[in-house]
Amino acid sequence: MSHCSETVTIDGHSLTLHDIASVARRGAQVLVAPEALKKVQVASDLISKWLDSNRVIYGVTTGFGDLSNVSVDRERTSLLQENLIRSHAVGVGEPLPVEVVRAIMLLRLNGLVCGNSGITPATLAQMVNFLNMGLIPYVPQQGSVGASGDLCPLSHIAVTMLGEGHVFYKGNLVPSLEAMHDAGLSPIHLQPKEGLALNNGTAALTGLGSLALIDALQLAKTADVIGALSLEALHGVPYAFDSRTHALRPHDGQVRVASNVRRLIEGSQIIEKFKGTRVQDAYSLRCMPQVHGASRDALEYVRSKIELEINAVTDNPLIFPESEDVLSGGNFHGQPIALPMDFFGIAVSELASISERRSARMVDHHLSNGLPPFIIKDSGVNSGFMITQYTQAAVVSENKTLAHPASVDSIPTSANQEDHVSMGYWASLKATRILRNAEKVLGIEALSAAQALDFSAPLKAGKGTQAAYAAIREVIPFVEKDQYLHPLVESAVDLVRNGRILSAAQGAVGDLD
């Protein structure tokens, strides 16, 4: 990944979603605020002081989990920490994307610099250097139950700093030690408490959730644009978007979506011509404000929880230097994010569900208000967009299964010491898959709506919808007859994911709510 000129300074308290995207996706460099570094040093010194006085500290002079009653002598405290990391790096499955691992590393760093974890400045610097120099650990996707934090994926990150495991470096997957040698780095030896500080916490499930949320907030606006395109393509009527209706039920998301649709279709010759043909449309058109809006409200709830969690300290035990206390608690438990990410999955799956229904109307000539069967000339010889709706149906059905909440499950671990777990990591992982599926469904709707709009020519759509249509047509031509459609579908999904449809519409009507 190439570095951008931007830098993100972390202090444990002021990280934003924008910062996460900058570091994870644009290669922004990470700096630690000087005052935060001082706090890190104070806590690290306190660990050394406690060891000198033979104080009993969970995970420092004792074993872990069910082994917390086993004492560990001073000479083996470093080995204890490194063994912790090696033994916990047992993930399976395909690797997490590099951008996700970068987000996870940033969040773990941001928690550590609060000065409540006992990390040394040297180990902190190692992780910062890995991130800034582009040594990104290979982290298998599966293995976290989201309760002692994300022990397994975080251990896969930490083990690479010991010179073990593999990293993605300069576009290749290489042994960590090889990449470190090339970058001028050396393996570290963990000090007391450091292994526990590195692999405890909710950074993995929250890192996944953060990037998914950033994309979902864009997708929610894009859904309004594509839904408005379908409204135009189906010769829908505007009455359901009147502000007076929504003032009587003023859910924030509902009001915002209705306003967006009004702005997008403003000046539409199509709406003007057909608005007298009926008093109301089917729910998938008429209830866009209520359905899209409810998903918007759910995502705002998720945002409130994610923004809190990215600036929280979530490992264990926690050090309080002012009082020289060390307390064992449960901040690593993923439940506060597991529930929101389950809600996320439900909210985003609904954006896809209603999108498929609008597409289904466009391909069904009994419901499409004058469009040819399957939105193609000479249908019969041509199947047109018949099967794109099948694809949507398949993906929407998959989302329905994935939207089953992860957080209602719990399988005890660590010999029942950890007897209730959140499964929050899986909640975030499947929420991301639901999001990617929704982008595909909405991409197909955009493709279908552009095709359908051409049958209304020479009438023009509204300011925002016409601009969105033009952005699609810059990349995807009108389909005259059956052809290999897969490349067009992929292009449409790309237009959704890269934000071009949304940016085109906003270029015409201003930023959507």
Side-chain angles (χ1 to χ4, degrees), residues 375-376 385 446-455 469-489 491-492 495:
I375 351 176
I376 193 78
F385 287 69
L447 179 69
S448 303
Q451 178 80 3
L453 270 174
D454 280 320
F455 288 98
Y469 163 83
I472 297 168
R473 282 287 172 260
E474 284 177 11
V475 178
I476 303 169
F478 177 76
V479 178
E480 291 281 353
K481 59 185 179 180
D482 278 353
Q483 64 182 84
Y484 180 39
L485 281 180
H486 176 258
L488 305 189
V489 170
S491 294
L495 288 172

PDB file of all heavy atoms in Angstrom, residues 375-376 385 446-455 469-489 491-492 495:
ATOM      1  N   ILE A 375     -37.331  -5.964 -19.429  1.00  0.00           N
ATOM      2  CA  ILE A 375     -36.680  -4.705 -19.828  1.00  0.00           C
ATOM      3  C   ILE A 375     -35.763  -4.883 -21.046  1.00  0.00           C
ATOM      4  O   ILE A 375     -34.665  -4.349 -21.094  1.00  0.00           O
ATOM      5  CB  ILE A 375     -35.877  -4.030 -18.682  1.00  0.00           C
ATOM      6  CG1 ILE A 375     -36.076  -4.677 -17.323  1.00  0.00           C
ATOM      7  CG2 ILE A 375     -36.251  -2.573 -18.573  1.00  0.00           C
ATOM      8  CD1 ILE A 375     -35.208  -4.076 -16.221  1.00  0.00           C
ATOM      9  N   ILE A 376     -36.249  -5.604 -22.058  1.00  0.00           N
ATOM     10  CA  ILE A 376     -35.432  -5.837 -23.253  1.00  0.00           C
ATOM     11  C   ILE A 376     -36.327  -5.781 -24.488  1.00  0.00           C
ATOM     12  O   ILE A 376     -37.490  -6.184 -24.446  1.00  0.00           O
ATOM     13  CB  ILE A 376     -34.716  -7.214 -23.171  1.00  0.00           C
ATOM     14  CG1 ILE A 376     -33.622  -7.346 -24.232  1.00  0.00           C
ATOM     15  CG2 ILE A 376     -35.698  -8.363 -23.260  1.00  0.00           C
ATOM     16  CD1 ILE A 376     -32.359  -6.629 -23.888  1.00  0.00           C
ATOM     17  N   PHE A 385     -33.159  -9.018 -18.679  1.00  0.00           N
ATOM     18  CA  PHE A 385     -32.741  -8.941 -17.271  1.00  0.00           C
ATOM     19  C   PHE A 385     -33.487  -9.943 -16.383  1.00  0.00           C
ATOM     20  O   PHE A 385     -33.572  -9.774 -15.180  1.00  0.00           O
ATOM     21  CB  PHE A 385     -32.937  -7.508 -16.762  1.00  0.00           C
ATOM     22  CG  PHE A 385     -31.927  -6.541 -17.316  1.00  0.00           C
ATOM     23  CD1 PHE A 385     -31.946  -6.179 -18.657  1.00  0.00           C
ATOM     24  CD2 PHE A 385     -30.938  -6.019 -16.511  1.00  0.00           C
ATOM     25  CE1 PHE A 385     -31.006  -5.302 -19.179  1.00  0.00           C
ATOM     26  CE2 PHE A 385     -29.988  -5.144 -17.019  1.00  0.00           C
ATOM     27  CZ  PHE A 385     -30.017  -4.782 -18.360  1.00  0.00           C
ATOM     28  N   ALA A 446     -29.472  -0.819  -9.875  1.00  0.00           N
ATOM     29  CA  ALA A 446     -29.030   0.352 -10.635  1.00  0.00           C
ATOM     30  C   ALA A 446     -28.918   0.024 -12.119  1.00  0.00           C
ATOM     31  O   ALA A 446     -29.332   0.814 -12.987  1.00  0.00           O
ATOM     32  CB  ALA A 446     -27.681   0.838 -10.098  1.00  0.00           C
ATOM     33  N   LEU A 447     -28.359  -1.143 -12.427  1.00  0.00           N
ATOM     34  CA  LEU A 447     -28.244  -1.591 -13.812  1.00  0.00           C
ATOM     35  C   LEU A 447     -29.624  -1.707 -14.460  1.00  0.00           C
ATOM     36  O   LEU A 447     -29.844  -1.243 -15.596  1.00  0.00           O
ATOM     37  CB  LEU A 447     -27.530  -2.941 -13.828  1.00  0.00           C
ATOM     38  CG  LEU A 447     -27.300  -3.631 -15.163  1.00  0.00           C
ATOM     39  CD1 LEU A 447     -26.279  -2.871 -15.996  1.00  0.00           C
ATOM     40  CD2 LEU A 447     -26.821  -5.069 -14.939  1.00  0.00           C
ATOM     41  N   SER A 448     -30.557  -2.296 -13.728  1.00  0.00           N
ATOM     42  CA  SER A 448     -31.918  -2.494 -14.243  1.00  0.00           C
ATOM     43  C   SER A 448     -32.640  -1.167 -14.412  1.00  0.00           C
ATOM     44  O   SER A 448     -33.336  -0.944 -15.422  1.00  0.00           O
ATOM     45  CB  SER A 448     -32.705  -3.393 -13.285  1.00  0.00           C
ATOM     46  OG  SER A 448     -32.049  -4.627 -13.090  1.00  0.00           O
ATOM     47  N   ALA A 449     -32.494  -0.274 -13.442  1.00  0.00           N
ATOM     48  CA  ALA A 449     -33.191   1.014 -13.505  1.00  0.00           C
ATOM     49  C   ALA A 449     -32.684   1.864 -14.663  1.00  0.00           C
ATOM     50  O   ALA A 449     -33.472   2.549 -15.336  1.00  0.00           O
ATOM     51  CB  ALA A 449     -33.019   1.760 -12.188  1.00  0.00           C
ATOM     52  N   ALA A 450     -31.383   1.848 -14.917  1.00  0.00           N
ATOM     53  CA  ALA A 450     -30.842   2.599 -16.054  1.00  0.00           C
ATOM     54  C   ALA A 450     -31.401   2.055 -17.363  1.00  0.00           C
ATOM     55  O   ALA A 450     -31.772   2.817 -18.268  1.00  0.00           O
ATOM     56  CB  ALA A 450     -29.318   2.532 -16.048  1.00  0.00           C
ATOM     57  N   GLN A 451     -31.463   0.719 -17.465  1.00  0.00           N
ATOM     58  CA  GLN A 451     -32.031   0.094 -18.659  1.00  0.00           C
ATOM     59  C   GLN A 451     -33.494   0.504 -18.826  1.00  0.00           C
ATOM     60  O   GLN A 451     -33.927   0.877 -19.928  1.00  0.00           O
ATOM     61  CB  GLN A 451     -31.926  -1.429 -18.537  1.00  0.00           C
ATOM     62  CG  GLN A 451     -32.526  -2.219 -19.682  1.00  0.00           C
ATOM     63  CD  GLN A 451     -31.637  -2.317 -20.906  1.00  0.00           C
ATOM     64  OE1 GLN A 451     -30.506  -1.825 -20.888  1.00  0.00           O
ATOM     65  NE2 GLN A 451     -32.127  -2.922 -21.965  1.00  0.00           N
ATOM     66  N   ALA A 452     -34.227   0.469 -17.735  1.00  0.00           N
ATOM     67  CA  ALA A 452     -35.651   0.807 -17.800  1.00  0.00           C
ATOM     68  C   ALA A 452     -35.876   2.278 -18.130  1.00  0.00           C
ATOM     69  O   ALA A 452     -36.814   2.619 -18.860  1.00  0.00           O
ATOM     70  CB  ALA A 452     -36.313   0.458 -16.466  1.00  0.00           C
ATOM     71  N   LEU A 453     -35.029   3.150 -17.598  1.00  0.00           N
ATOM     72  CA  LEU A 453     -35.188   4.582 -17.863  1.00  0.00           C
ATOM     73  C   LEU A 453     -35.069   4.905 -19.348  1.00  0.00           C
ATOM     74  O   LEU A 453     -35.694   5.856 -19.842  1.00  0.00           O
ATOM     75  CB  LEU A 453     -34.148   5.386 -17.075  1.00  0.00           C
ATOM     76  CG  LEU A 453     -34.534   5.844 -15.675  1.00  0.00           C
ATOM     77  CD1 LEU A 453     -33.350   6.487 -14.974  1.00  0.00           C
ATOM     78  CD2 LEU A 453     -35.712   6.820 -15.714  1.00  0.00           C
ATOM     79  N   ASP A 454     -34.275   4.145 -20.077  1.00  0.00           N
ATOM     80  CA  ASP A 454     -34.108   4.418 -21.507  1.00  0.00           C
ATOM     81  C   ASP A 454     -35.409   4.238 -22.274  1.00  0.00           C
ATOM     82  O   ASP A 454     -35.572   4.811 -23.360  1.00  0.00           O
ATOM     83  CB  ASP A 454     -33.012   3.521 -22.088  1.00  0.00           C
ATOM     84  CG  ASP A 454     -31.622   4.064 -21.788  1.00  0.00           C
ATOM     85  OD1 ASP A 454     -31.436   5.288 -21.853  1.00  0.00           O
ATOM     86  OD2 ASP A 454     -30.721   3.265 -21.464  1.00  0.00           O
ATOM     87  N   PHE A 455     -36.333   3.468 -21.742  1.00  0.00           N
ATOM     88  CA  PHE A 455     -37.624   3.287 -22.405  1.00  0.00           C
ATOM     89  C   PHE A 455     -38.560   4.479 -22.176  1.00  0.00           C
ATOM     90  O   PHE A 455     -39.646   4.527 -22.757  1.00  0.00           O
ATOM     91  CB  PHE A 455     -38.273   1.981 -21.949  1.00  0.00           C
ATOM     92  CG  PHE A 455     -37.591   0.760 -22.498  1.00  0.00           C
ATOM     93  CD1 PHE A 455     -36.670   0.057 -21.727  1.00  0.00           C
ATOM     94  CD2 PHE A 455     -37.843   0.334 -23.790  1.00  0.00           C
ATOM     95  CE1 PHE A 455     -36.027  -1.068 -22.226  1.00  0.00           C
ATOM     96  CE2 PHE A 455     -37.201  -0.796 -24.305  1.00  0.00           C
ATOM     97  CZ  PHE A 455     -36.281  -1.489 -23.526  1.00  0.00           C
ATOM     98  N   TYR A 469     -28.081   8.428 -13.451  1.00  0.00           N
ATOM     99  CA  TYR A 469     -28.225   7.661 -14.691  1.00  0.00           C
ATOM    100  C   TYR A 469     -27.041   7.905 -15.628  1.00  0.00           C
ATOM    101  O   TYR A 469     -26.472   6.970 -16.200  1.00  0.00           O
ATOM    102  CB  TYR A 469     -29.541   8.045 -15.374  1.00  0.00           C
ATOM    103  CG  TYR A 469     -29.635   7.647 -16.816  1.00  0.00           C
ATOM    104  CD1 TYR A 469     -30.023   6.360 -17.186  1.00  0.00           C
ATOM    105  CD2 TYR A 469     -29.312   8.552 -17.838  1.00  0.00           C
ATOM    106  CE1 TYR A 469     -30.098   5.994 -18.527  1.00  0.00           C
ATOM    107  CE2 TYR A 469     -29.378   8.192 -19.173  1.00  0.00           C
ATOM    108  CZ  TYR A 469     -29.772   6.911 -19.512  1.00  0.00           C
ATOM    109  OH  TYR A 469     -29.833   6.544 -20.839  1.00  0.00           O
ATOM    110  N   ALA A 470     -26.654   9.155 -15.758  1.00  0.00           N
ATOM    111  CA  ALA A 470     -25.533   9.497 -16.646  1.00  0.00           C
ATOM    112  C   ALA A 470     -24.238   8.838 -16.173  1.00  0.00           C
ATOM    113  O   ALA A 470     -23.426   8.376 -16.986  1.00  0.00           O
ATOM    114  CB  ALA A 470     -25.368  11.012 -16.716  1.00  0.00           C
ATOM    115  N   ALA A 471     -24.037   8.771 -14.855  1.00  0.00           N
ATOM    116  CA  ALA A 471     -22.829   8.134 -14.309  1.00  0.00           C
ATOM    117  C   ALA A 471     -22.813   6.642 -14.649  1.00  0.00           C
ATOM    118  O   ALA A 471     -21.748   6.079 -14.940  1.00  0.00           O
ATOM    119  CB  ALA A 471     -22.776   8.331 -12.800  1.00  0.00           C
ATOM    120  N   ILE A 472     -23.979   6.023 -14.617  1.00  0.00           N
ATOM    121  CA  ILE A 472     -24.058   4.604 -14.990  1.00  0.00           C
ATOM    122  C   ILE A 472     -23.763   4.430 -16.471  1.00  0.00           C
ATOM    123  O   ILE A 472     -22.978   3.557 -16.877  1.00  0.00           O
ATOM    124  CB  ILE A 472     -25.450   4.037 -14.639  1.00  0.00           C
ATOM    125  CG1 ILE A 472     -25.692   4.089 -13.129  1.00  0.00           C
ATOM    126  CG2 ILE A 472     -25.599   2.601 -15.157  1.00  0.00           C
ATOM    127  CD1 ILE A 472     -27.136   3.827 -12.721  1.00  0.00           C
ATOM    128  N   ARG A 473     -24.336   5.295 -17.292  1.00  0.00           N
ATOM    129  CA  ARG A 473     -24.166   5.181 -18.741  1.00  0.00           C
ATOM    130  C   ARG A 473     -22.751   5.532 -19.200  1.00  0.00           C
ATOM    131  O   ARG A 473     -22.337   5.149 -20.287  1.00  0.00           O
ATOM    132  CB  ARG A 473     -25.196   6.054 -19.462  1.00  0.00           C
ATOM    133  CG  ARG A 473     -26.582   5.431 -19.493  1.00  0.00           C
ATOM    134  CD  ARG A 473     -26.621   4.265 -20.487  1.00  0.00           C
ATOM    135  NE  ARG A 473     -27.874   3.502 -20.414  1.00  0.00           N
ATOM    136  CZ  ARG A 473     -28.021   2.356 -19.771  1.00  0.00           C
ATOM    137  NH1 ARG A 473     -26.990   1.818 -19.122  1.00  0.00           N
ATOM    138  NH2 ARG A 473     -29.165   1.720 -19.770  1.00  0.00           N
ATOM    139  N   GLU A 474     -21.991   6.210 -18.384  1.00  0.00           N
ATOM    140  CA  GLU A 474     -20.582   6.445 -18.729  1.00  0.00           C
ATOM    141  C   GLU A 474     -19.794   5.144 -18.756  1.00  0.00           C
ATOM    142  O   GLU A 474     -18.764   5.046 -19.431  1.00  0.00           O
ATOM    143  CB  GLU A 474     -19.943   7.396 -17.706  1.00  0.00           C
ATOM    144  CG  GLU A 474     -20.328   8.855 -17.865  1.00  0.00           C
ATOM    145  CD  GLU A 474     -19.716   9.720 -16.766  1.00  0.00           C
ATOM    146  OE1 GLU A 474     -18.839   9.213 -16.027  1.00  0.00           O
ATOM    147  OE2 GLU A 474     -20.121  10.887 -16.645  1.00  0.00           O
ATOM    148  N   VAL A 475     -20.288   4.163 -18.038  1.00  0.00           N
ATOM    149  CA  VAL A 475     -19.564   2.893 -17.881  1.00  0.00           C
ATOM    150  C   VAL A 475     -20.301   1.734 -18.536  1.00  0.00           C
ATOM    151  O   VAL A 475     -19.688   0.819 -19.090  1.00  0.00           O
ATOM    152  CB  VAL A 475     -19.347   2.596 -16.379  1.00  0.00           C
ATOM    153  CG1 VAL A 475     -18.633   1.267 -16.168  1.00  0.00           C
ATOM    154  CG2 VAL A 475     -18.577   3.729 -15.713  1.00  0.00           C
ATOM    155  N   ILE A 476     -21.622   1.774 -18.503  1.00  0.00           N
ATOM    156  CA  ILE A 476     -22.439   0.635 -18.933  1.00  0.00           C
ATOM    157  C   ILE A 476     -23.399   1.083 -20.029  1.00  0.00           C
ATOM    158  O   ILE A 476     -24.219   1.984 -19.808  1.00  0.00           O
ATOM    159  CB  ILE A 476     -23.236   0.058 -17.744  1.00  0.00           C
ATOM    160  CG1 ILE A 476     -22.281  -0.357 -16.614  1.00  0.00           C
ATOM    161  CG2 ILE A 476     -24.091  -1.123 -18.197  1.00  0.00           C
ATOM    162  CD1 ILE A 476     -22.991  -0.677 -15.313  1.00  0.00           C
ATOM    163  N   PRO A 477     -23.346   0.475 -21.199  1.00  0.00           N
ATOM    164  CA  PRO A 477     -24.255   0.865 -22.286  1.00  0.00           C
ATOM    165  C   PRO A 477     -25.646   0.248 -22.129  1.00  0.00           C
ATOM    166  O   PRO A 477     -25.841  -0.695 -21.358  1.00  0.00           O
ATOM    167  CB  PRO A 477     -23.552   0.307 -23.535  1.00  0.00           C
ATOM    168  CG  PRO A 477     -22.839  -0.918 -23.023  1.00  0.00           C
ATOM    169  CD  PRO A 477     -22.395  -0.575 -21.619  1.00  0.00           C
ATOM    170  N   PHE A 478     -26.591   0.774 -22.881  1.00  0.00           N
ATOM    171  CA  PHE A 478     -27.916   0.175 -22.987  1.00  0.00           C
ATOM    172  C   PHE A 478     -27.771  -1.210 -23.610  1.00  0.00           C
ATOM    173  O   PHE A 478     -26.969  -1.420 -24.520  1.00  0.00           O
ATOM    174  CB  PHE A 478     -28.814   1.063 -23.861  1.00  0.00           C
ATOM    175  CG  PHE A 478     -30.186   0.502 -24.106  1.00  0.00           C
ATOM    176  CD1 PHE A 478     -31.154   0.545 -23.123  1.00  0.00           C
ATOM    177  CD2 PHE A 478     -30.513  -0.067 -25.344  1.00  0.00           C
ATOM    178  CE1 PHE A 478     -32.436   0.036 -23.348  1.00  0.00           C
ATOM    179  CE2 PHE A 478     -31.784  -0.581 -25.582  1.00  0.00           C
ATOM    180  CZ  PHE A 478     -32.740  -0.527 -24.569  1.00  0.00           C
ATOM    181  N   VAL A 479     -28.527  -2.152 -23.105  1.00  0.00           N
ATOM    182  CA  VAL A 479     -28.468  -3.529 -23.611  1.00  0.00           C
ATOM    183  C   VAL A 479     -29.540  -3.697 -24.693  1.00  0.00           C
ATOM    184  O   VAL A 479     -30.733  -3.752 -24.389  1.00  0.00           O
ATOM    185  CB  VAL A 479     -28.666  -4.548 -22.471  1.00  0.00           C
ATOM    186  CG1 VAL A 479     -28.649  -5.976 -23.013  1.00  0.00           C
ATOM    187  CG2 VAL A 479     -27.590  -4.376 -21.400  1.00  0.00           C
ATOM    188  N   GLU A 480     -29.092  -3.764 -25.947  1.00  0.00           N
ATOM    189  CA  GLU A 480     -30.018  -3.887 -27.077  1.00  0.00           C
ATOM    190  C   GLU A 480     -30.564  -5.307 -27.215  1.00  0.00           C
ATOM    191  O   GLU A 480     -31.718  -5.513 -27.567  1.00  0.00           O
ATOM    192  CB  GLU A 480     -29.305  -3.499 -28.387  1.00  0.00           C
ATOM    193  CG  GLU A 480     -28.967  -2.023 -28.500  1.00  0.00           C
ATOM    194  CD  GLU A 480     -30.171  -1.176 -28.896  1.00  0.00           C
ATOM    195  OE1 GLU A 480     -31.250  -1.758 -29.210  1.00  0.00           O
ATOM    196  OE2 GLU A 480     -30.041   0.062 -28.883  1.00  0.00           O
ATOM    197  N   LYS A 481     -29.688  -6.276 -26.977  1.00  0.00           N
ATOM    198  CA  LYS A 481     -30.067  -7.681 -27.111  1.00  0.00           C
ATOM    199  C   LYS A 481     -29.218  -8.489 -26.145  1.00  0.00           C
ATOM    200  O   LYS A 481     -28.258  -7.982 -25.555  1.00  0.00           O
ATOM    201  CB  LYS A 481     -29.851  -8.150 -28.542  1.00  0.00           C
ATOM    202  CG  LYS A 481     -28.422  -8.006 -29.020  1.00  0.00           C
ATOM    203  CD  LYS A 481     -28.281  -8.383 -30.488  1.00  0.00           C
ATOM    204  CE  LYS A 481     -26.831  -8.219 -30.962  1.00  0.00           C
ATOM    205  NZ  LYS A 481     -26.674  -8.570 -32.386  1.00  0.00           N
ATOM    206  N   ASP A 482     -29.574  -9.748 -25.975  1.00  0.00           N
ATOM    207  CA  ASP A 482     -28.857 -10.581 -25.009  1.00  0.00           C
ATOM    208  C   ASP A 482     -27.359 -10.601 -25.303  1.00  0.00           C
ATOM    209  O   ASP A 482     -26.933 -10.734 -26.446  1.00  0.00           O
ATOM    210  CB  ASP A 482     -29.399 -12.008 -25.030  1.00  0.00           C
ATOM    211  CG  ASP A 482     -30.671 -12.156 -24.200  1.00  0.00           C
ATOM    212  OD1 ASP A 482     -31.047 -11.178 -23.519  1.00  0.00           O
ATOM    213  OD2 ASP A 482     -31.295 -13.237 -24.243  1.00  0.00           O
ATOM    214  N   GLN A 483     -26.606 -10.444 -24.248  1.00  0.00           N
ATOM    215  CA  GLN A 483     -25.148 -10.486 -24.328  1.00  0.00           C
ATOM    216  C   GLN A 483     -24.631 -11.052 -23.009  1.00  0.00           C
ATOM    217  O   GLN A 483     -25.399 -11.332 -22.096  1.00  0.00           O
ATOM    218  CB  GLN A 483     -24.586  -9.075 -24.566  1.00  0.00           C
ATOM    219  CG  GLN A 483     -24.867  -8.102 -23.422  1.00  0.00           C
ATOM    220  CD  GLN A 483     -24.341  -6.708 -23.686  1.00  0.00           C
ATOM    221  OE1 GLN A 483     -25.001  -5.907 -24.346  1.00  0.00           O
ATOM    222  NE2 GLN A 483     -23.148  -6.422 -23.183  1.00  0.00           N
ATOM    223  N   TYR A 484     -23.326 -11.211 -22.940  1.00  0.00           N
ATOM    224  CA  TYR A 484     -22.703 -11.687 -21.710  1.00  0.00           C
ATOM    225  C   TYR A 484     -22.843 -10.590 -20.657  1.00  0.00           C
ATOM    226  O   TYR A 484     -22.161  -9.564 -20.724  1.00  0.00           O
ATOM    227  CB  TYR A 484     -21.241 -12.015 -21.993  1.00  0.00           C
ATOM    228  CG  TYR A 484     -20.432 -12.535 -20.832  1.00  0.00           C
ATOM    229  CD1 TYR A 484     -20.958 -13.423 -19.896  1.00  0.00           C
ATOM    230  CD2 TYR A 484     -19.102 -12.148 -20.688  1.00  0.00           C
ATOM    231  CE1 TYR A 484     -20.199 -13.906 -18.848  1.00  0.00           C
ATOM    232  CE2 TYR A 484     -18.316 -12.620 -19.638  1.00  0.00           C
ATOM    233  CZ  TYR A 484     -18.876 -13.498 -18.729  1.00  0.00           C
ATOM    234  OH  TYR A 484     -18.109 -13.968 -17.696  1.00  0.00           O
ATOM    235  N   LEU A 485     -23.749 -10.787 -19.691  1.00  0.00           N
ATOM    236  CA  LEU A 485     -24.123  -9.707 -18.760  1.00  0.00           C
ATOM    237  C   LEU A 485     -23.210  -9.585 -17.547  1.00  0.00           C
ATOM    238  O   LEU A 485     -23.196  -8.538 -16.893  1.00  0.00           O
ATOM    239  CB  LEU A 485     -25.565  -9.899 -18.278  1.00  0.00           C
ATOM    240  CG  LEU A 485     -26.686  -9.483 -19.225  1.00  0.00           C
ATOM    241  CD1 LEU A 485     -28.041  -9.754 -18.581  1.00  0.00           C
ATOM    242  CD2 LEU A 485     -26.574  -8.016 -19.610  1.00  0.00           C
ATOM    243  N   HIS A 486     -22.481 -10.633 -17.229  1.00  0.00           N
ATOM    244  CA  HIS A 486     -21.693 -10.606 -15.995  1.00  0.00           C
ATOM    245  C   HIS A 486     -20.778  -9.390 -15.882  1.00  0.00           C
ATOM    246  O   HIS A 486     -20.735  -8.752 -14.816  1.00  0.00           O
ATOM    247  CB  HIS A 486     -20.877 -11.898 -15.857  1.00  0.00           C
ATOM    248  CG  HIS A 486     -19.978 -11.909 -14.666  1.00  0.00           C
ATOM    249  ND1 HIS A 486     -18.619 -11.671 -14.756  1.00  0.00           N
ATOM    250  CD2 HIS A 486     -20.230 -12.089 -13.349  1.00  0.00           C
ATOM    251  CE1 HIS A 486     -18.083 -11.715 -13.548  1.00  0.00           C
ATOM    252  NE2 HIS A 486     -19.034 -11.972 -12.681  1.00  0.00           N
ATOM    253  N   PRO A 487     -20.044  -9.005 -16.939  1.00  0.00           N
ATOM    254  CA  PRO A 487     -19.190  -7.811 -16.801  1.00  0.00           C
ATOM    255  C   PRO A 487     -19.986  -6.542 -16.491  1.00  0.00           C
ATOM    256  O   PRO A 487     -19.498  -5.669 -15.762  1.00  0.00           O
ATOM    257  CB  PRO A 487     -18.497  -7.709 -18.163  1.00  0.00           C
ATOM    258  CG  PRO A 487     -18.546  -9.089 -18.726  1.00  0.00           C
ATOM    259  CD  PRO A 487     -19.842  -9.663 -18.241  1.00  0.00           C
ATOM    260  N   LEU A 488     -21.199  -6.442 -17.027  1.00  0.00           N
ATOM    261  CA  LEU A 488     -22.028  -5.260 -16.749  1.00  0.00           C
ATOM    262  C   LEU A 488     -22.481  -5.258 -15.286  1.00  0.00           C
ATOM    263  O   LEU A 488     -22.526  -4.201 -14.648  1.00  0.00           O
ATOM    264  CB  LEU A 488     -23.243  -5.229 -17.679  1.00  0.00           C
ATOM    265  CG  LEU A 488     -22.985  -5.285 -19.184  1.00  0.00           C
ATOM    266  CD1 LEU A 488     -24.276  -5.031 -19.949  1.00  0.00           C
ATOM    267  CD2 LEU A 488     -21.908  -4.298 -19.601  1.00  0.00           C
ATOM    268  N   VAL A 489     -22.818  -6.435 -14.790  1.00  0.00           N
ATOM    269  CA  VAL A 489     -23.201  -6.543 -13.377  1.00  0.00           C
ATOM    270  C   VAL A 489     -22.035  -6.131 -12.489  1.00  0.00           C
ATOM    271  O   VAL A 489     -22.197  -5.353 -11.536  1.00  0.00           O
ATOM    272  CB  VAL A 489     -23.663  -7.977 -13.046  1.00  0.00           C
ATOM    273  CG1 VAL A 489     -23.837  -8.161 -11.540  1.00  0.00           C
ATOM    274  CG2 VAL A 489     -24.970  -8.306 -13.778  1.00  0.00           C
ATOM    275  N   SER A 491     -19.537  -4.203 -13.188  1.00  0.00           N
ATOM    276  CA  SER A 491     -19.322  -2.751 -13.306  1.00  0.00           C
ATOM    277  C   SER A 491     -20.337  -1.975 -12.482  1.00  0.00           C
ATOM    278  O   SER A 491     -19.998  -0.972 -11.849  1.00  0.00           O
ATOM    279  CB  SER A 491     -19.413  -2.328 -14.773  1.00  0.00           C
ATOM    280  OG  SER A 491     -18.354  -2.875 -15.527  1.00  0.00           O
ATOM    281  N   ALA A 492     -21.588  -2.435 -12.486  1.00  0.00           N
ATOM    282  CA  ALA A 492     -22.630  -1.756 -11.711  1.00  0.00           C
ATOM    283  C   ALA A 492     -22.352  -1.853 -10.216  1.00  0.00           C
ATOM    284  O   ALA A 492     -22.521  -0.877  -9.469  1.00  0.00           O
ATOM    285  CB  ALA A 492     -24.000  -2.354 -12.036  1.00  0.00           C
ATOM    286  N   LEU A 495     -19.713   0.583  -9.304  1.00  0.00           N
ATOM    287  CA  LEU A 495     -20.225   1.954  -9.230  1.00  0.00           C
ATOM    288  C   LEU A 495     -20.904   2.238  -7.897  1.00  0.00           C
ATOM    289  O   LEU A 495     -20.866   3.365  -7.393  1.00  0.00           O
ATOM    290  CB  LEU A 495     -21.215   2.206 -10.375  1.00  0.00           C
ATOM    291  CG  LEU A 495     -20.630   2.322 -11.780  1.00  0.00           C
ATOM    292  CD1 LEU A 495     -21.749   2.366 -12.812  1.00  0.00           C
ATOM    293  CD2 LEU A 495     -19.746   3.561 -11.902  1.00  0.00           C
TER     294      LEU A 495
END
